[in-house]
Structure formats: structure tokens, C-alpha cells
Amino acid sequence: MSFITIEQAEAILGADFADDGDKARLVLLANTWMKKNAGQSFDPVPYDLQVAACEIIKGIQAKAIYNGQSQALKKEKVKADGVESEEEYQDGSVTISSYEQIALDLIASIEVDQPKTPYGIYLTRV
């Protein structure tokens, strides 16, 4: 399932959003990110999810997404002239780019037609 096609990306971002040779790769990576994070397929794909995929394309182009991950800082302590600074990050935490934040919020804004229990499990009648 694709969340966005090259034609849809061109309609949202403009026909010149990337070189013709790069468009297929960018759309493939955006669809991969969306499949991992949207968690379900939609038919038809809501416009907001197409916009979210375009945010991922912009993030990839800005080298903010799929640009490798730096190791998460566990603890850092700096002392100088009586001033002390200490940082400690949660294990496994990673920085999320603004593009990813926008895309995740757009994904979260999509209403699902299925009833949900308090446990987040979708119920389906047979």
C-alpha cells in the first residue's frame, strides 16, 4: 500500500520538488516511513496522510530524516569555574525532527471508523 505517489507529491509539493531521478526514491522512503508510523492502511488514503508523507519527503531532503542516528547521550557532566552542567537522556531516546513531528500529528489526527476500547484495541463485529 502506498500513502503517496509521485503524482500526488508533485501536486502538493510542486512538480520541481526533486530531480526526476530522485522522485521515486523519495516517495519510496516516505511510504516506508509512513507504513512504519501510521500503523494501518487506508483506502482511499486521506489527504492529511498525503501531506504527512510530503513532510517526510521534505525532511529527507533537508537531511533531517534517514540521515543516520547519533548515539543517545546517557550522561554528561561539565565543570568550569564553579559552574556545573549535567545532561542525561533516556535510554533509546532519539531526536525527532520537526518534519516527523508534523507527520506524526497529521497521522494522529485521522479518525478511525472502528470503535476503540479503553485499551486501544480495535473491535470488529463479525
Side-chain angles (χ1 to χ4, degrees):
M1 140 134 243
S2 292
F3 285 86
I4 194 157
T5 64
I6 292 173
E7 293 78 21
Q8 291 166 331
E10 287 176 337
I12 295 169
L13 297 171
D16 59 347
F17 78 91
D19 294 333
D20 287 339
D22 293 335
K23 289 180 181 180
R25 179 177 179 273
L26 288 168
V27 167
L28 171 67
L29 292 173
N31 280 319
T32 301
W33 190 97
M34 291 293 295
K35 285 176 189 174
K36 178 183 171 192
N37 290 281
Q40 62 181 332
S41 59
F42 295 88
D43 187 27
V45 176
Y47 181 75
D48 287 353
L49 293 184
Q50 294 174 14
V51 172
C54 286
E55 285 296 319
I56 299 306
I57 289 172
K58 292 190 304 187
I60 294 167
Q61 290 174 315
K63 299 190 184 327
I65 302 172
Y66 290 136
N67 197 35
Q69 285 184 336
S70 60
Q71 187 174 1
L73 178 66
K74 178 64 176 170
K75 189 172 190 175
E76 178 181 73
K77 195 171 192 176
V78 178
K79 289 183 183 181
D81 298 328
V83 178
E84 185 176 318
S85 174
E86 186 173 331
E87 293 179 352
E88 183 172 345
Y89 297 104
Q90 182 69 17
D91 290 339
S93 66
V94 293
T95 302
I96 296 177
S97 71
S98 61
Y99 304 101
E100 290 170 298
Q101 289 174 340
I102 292 168
L104 289 170
D105 283 348
L106 285 167
I107 291 168
S109 74
I110 300 299
E111 293 184 20
V112 179
D113 291 336
Q114 298 176 341
K116 198 178 356 176
T117 69
Y119 305 105
I121 300 170
Y122 293 102
L123 302 176
T124 305
R125 292 187 181 192
V126 184

